[in-house]
Amino acid sequence: MAFPYSASNLPTQVFINNQYVEAKSPQKFSVFNPKDGTLVSDKVPLAGQEDVDVAVGAAEAAFPNWKKVPATERRDLLHKFASLIDQHAEQLAVLTRLTLGAPYDSFGKFEGAMAAEAFRYYAGYVDKFGGESHPQENGFLKITRHEPLGVTAGVVPWNGPLGTVGLKAAPALATGNCFILKPSEKTPFAALALGWLIKEAGFPPGVFQVLSGDGSTGAIIARHMRIRKISFTGSIPTGKKIQQMAAESNLKRVTLELGGKSPAVVFDDCNLENAVTWCVNAIAANTGQVCFAASRVYVQEGIRDQFVAKYKAALEERAKTIGDPDDRSTIMGPLVDNSQFKRVMGFIERGAAQGTLLTGGNRVGDKGCFVAPTVFTDVDLNAEISQNEIFGPVSIVNTFKTEEEVLKKANATEYGLMAGVFTQDINRALRIASEFDSGMVGVNCVSLNMLNVPFGGSKQSGLGRECGRNALEHFTEPKTVMINLTY
Ligand code: NAD
């Protein structure tokens, strides 16, 4: 059967127990196209308590068999699912683009490939995530096993609706958990369409389910007494609520991937072209709506003028590629919606009093949520635009003299997701890398992630790590088995 969904046939049912069904909750929500504000649908189901309960029941019923499915079979299912994502990448990207506004060549393609790769990566881990055997003492053999948690859930944001699914569902399923996905209310369609792929791949009913909804659905999941783990990606305020609800309900396990205000530190001995390229892509990709975007650039005084001139020119070039995300020549699309547009423009307007506007600062066009890449220079360390995640194409550029000074500045926020250092001096790069207070560091690069190494933040940027072996550990619990060898 051909993939059934498209812009003219949107998935508007929840996916429970391998069936598309009408949600029991009568509530619906609306989504709009950020390129022109037109209504995309007012019929997206807002899953309620009963819907979550039914999905949890189906997952509980599926879990005892699913966790015992032979490794080769589980591996093959994950591989098949990955191939289906690849096969339908363009169609899934259309469903995302309708409400996110991200062009295919600069975002949709990358995101789909990342999701498919995540399923492949964890497929390879299914029979390799072994436990431990400890030295024998006192006649006891001790082994530890990684046990799946049972019913797990992922609550994800809108800026990478498919990519975040790969980072959460793949390790959850690889380790034998059942998984319920709750996409963002701003980007529900690609996630809902995954139901078709889940069935086509051959996952047993109840193993992988999708419930559309808003924060109220997310809260029902976070408070649910029979969901054992929630893997959350989103804002810090919501992350804190999730952790609180998890603690107040059944102490479910929590992983939090939250916001960022990532610094890029550019020393005067760097390869300037390389530094400019990474810093520009870091703040312009996905219209700046990226958690690890390098939104604070610190440039050493000696190259300040050259860097600023090139950074400004490159961002102004990028601004020329702003346009209709459905047009294949567009690189930069709009912000996700009107509320994000107002939020970003608010930061820009207030930023005028906090620094010097270098470029941008304006809306592009007279309809839709398009904003020009915007840079402020000479911004005070405590200013709002230095300290808060804006989540749009807005950055600040400041200068520094010494390593000590820039480290203090780079570390002076409550965020700690990523940091980058640009220099040709390897000793300095490693010194700085070890002093950054962040979960991830780029040397001569910034704002990137790789599937096989831990992804996540320090301080308020998060709790726990995704990717690599870490994700498997967060979706399992060690079980210690002590064997009395003398009996
Ligand atoms: P958000 O916190 O508003 O929403 C994220 C998800 O949580 C959505 O699915 C939403 O419906 C749900 N939600 C909202 N309120 C809830 C509640 N009270 N209880 C349970 N669930 C609730 O975030 P957003 O605006 O969708 O995403 C932007 C944020 O996500 C930014 O701060 C960005 O930095 C962060 N982000 C982080 C990473 C990372 O890996 N660190 C990746 C992408 C985005």
Side-chain angles (χ1 to χ4, degrees):
M1 196 177 114
F3 184 74
Y5 299 116
S6 65
S8 53
N9 182 31
L10 296 167
T12 53
Q13 289 179 310
V14 291
F15 185 75
I16 295 179
N17 214 16
N18 272 9
Q19 299 295 328
Y20 278 108
V21 292
E22 290 302 325
K24 295 192 183 301
S25 153
Q27 276 182 278
K28 308 278 179 206
F29 63 92
S30 302
V31 273
F32 299 86
N33 193 324
K35 76 174 185 179
D36 54 13
T38 51
L39 178 72
V40 174
S41 173
D42 55 4
K43 296 187 176 52
V44 192
L46 196 156
Q49 183 74 51
E50 237 188 304
D51 299 296
V52 176
D53 287 344
V54 174
V56 171
E60 282 179 331
F63 179 60
N65 287 335
W66 172 241
K67 71 173 178 178
K68 291 190 191 124
V69 162
T72 48
E73 219 175 285
R74 197 178 306 148
R75 176 201 65 195
D76 291 349
L77 280 170
L78 294 177
H79 270 295
K80 183 142 190 227
F81 191 70
S83 301
L84 286 164
I85 293 178
D86 278 341
Q87 224 173 303
H88 300 291
E90 289 204 36
Q91 291 143 309
L92 290 167
V94 167
L95 297 177
T96 295
R97 190 158 71 241
L98 277 171
T99 63
L100 175 61
Y104 183 67
D105 291 298
S106 62
F107 184 76
K109 193 156 87 176
F110 151 81
E111 204 212 2
M114 181 171 131
E117 275 310 310
F119 279 93
R120 282 196 192 95
Y121 176 76
Y122 286 109
Y125 243 129
V126 168
D127 60 354
K128 298 173 191 68
F129 186 47
E132 287 178 334
S133 160
H134 297 257
Q136 285 189 36
E137 50 155 352
N138 302 336
F140 284 87
L141 170 65
K142 289 150 287 179
I143 57 173
T144 51
R145 301 161 44 111
H146 301 290
E147 299 287 347
L149 300 169
V151 185
T152 64
V155 174
V156 301
W158 42 266
N159 66 325
L162 204 52
T164 42
V165 176
L167 301 189
K168 295 181 189 310
L173 298 169
T175 43
N177 296 284
C178 293
F179 186 80
I180 299 171
L181 169 67
K182 206 295 281 175
S184 166
E185 59 275 31
K186 299 187 187 198
T187 49
F189 297 125
L192 285 173
L194 289 181
W196 186 85
L197 274 59
I198 290 166
K199 225 173 150 176
E200 192 75 6
F203 283 105
V207 167
F208 191 176
Q209 306 177 89
V210 187
L211 297 175
S212 51
D214 63 5
S216 66
T217 315
I220 292 168
I221 290 172
R223 279 199 213 99
H224 206 282
M225 290 302 289
R226 283 154 36 223
I227 294 177
R228 298 296 163 187
K229 148 114 193 170
I230 181 163
S231 176
F232 172 76
T233 298
S235 64
I236 291 175
T238 309
K240 288 181 179 177
K241 286 185 202 157
I242 298 253
Q243 197 180 26
Q244 198 172 351
M245 289 185 276
E248 284 168 0
S249 53
N250 60 347
L251 213 58
K252 59 178 65 59
R253 278 44 177 157
V254 176
T255 310
L256 303 175
E257 292 293 347
L258 309 176
K261 188 77 181 172
S262 302
V265 173
V266 183
F267 282 94
D268 56 14
D269 68 342
C270 74
N271 177 318
L272 193 57
E273 295 299 331
N274 179 60
V276 170
T277 302
W278 280 96
C279 289
V280 165
N281 288 335
I283 197 64
N286 204 15
T287 317
Q289 302 166 120
V290 176
C291 52
F292 51 49
S295 52
R296 294 184 291 145
V297 184
Y298 293 101
V299 189
Q300 205 165 18
E301 274 181 356
I303 55 158
R304 191 257 181 211
D305 291 348
Q306 295 111 288
F307 179 89
V308 164
K310 284 179 186 286
Y311 186 61
K312 176 175 185 287
L315 282 170
E316 286 171 359
E317 270 311 300
R318 190 62 63 89
K320 293 180 190 158
T321 71
I322 293 176
D324 183 343
D326 296 321
D327 181 338
R328 286 302 277 262
S329 66
T330 296
I331 296 177
M332 247 181 118
L335 292 168
V336 67
D337 66 4
N338 215 23
S339 73
Q340 185 66 7
F341 176 77
K342 283 193 187 138
R343 188 183 130 81
V344 171
M345 288 309 288
F347 274 109
I348 292 175
E349 279 152 25
R350 294 189 298 279
Q354 299 164 25
T356 307
L357 183 67
L358 176 72
T359 185
N362 56 293
R363 177 183 198 176
V364 175
D366 54 10
K367 66 171 183 189
C369 303
F370 298 92
V371 174
T374 298
V375 183
F376 291 97
T377 60
D378 310 308
V379 183
D380 185 79
L381 192 60
N382 297 316
E384 182 194 45
I385 57 171
S386 287
Q387 291 293 326
N388 291 338
E389 181 183 50
I390 297 173
F391 222 52
V394 184
S395 65
I396 61 168
V397 177
N398 279 357
T399 54
F400 69 93
K401 283 193 178 70
T402 66
E403 275 182 41
E404 295 70 30
E405 177 197 352
V406 78
L407 275 168
K408 263 194 201 141
K409 288 179 171 171
N411 289 337
T413 74
E414 275 299 305
Y415 297 93
L417 191 54
M418 153 140 284
V421 55
F422 293 85
T423 175
Q424 306 274 12
D425 178 342
I426 186 68
N427 293 330
R428 172 150 70 189
L430 294 178
R431 257 195 322 272
I432 297 279
S434 67
E435 292 300 322
F436 274 141
D437 198 350
S438 66
M440 300 175 286
V441 175
V443 174
N444 292 319
C445 58
V446 71
S447 309
L448 72 168
N449 65 319
M450 291 176 192
L451 276 173
N452 58 349
V453 283
F455 177 88
S458 64
K459 295 192 276 188
Q460 294 198 39
S461 282
L463 197 68
R465 293 290 183 270
E466 294 193 314
C467 297
R469 189 182 162 92
N470 290 68
L472 300 171
E473 280 161 4
H474 284 296
F475 273 104
T476 54
E477 200 127 69
K479 178 184 279 175
T480 305
V481 182
M482 290 156 284
I483 304 158
N484 183 349
L485 297 174
T486 60
Y487 197 62

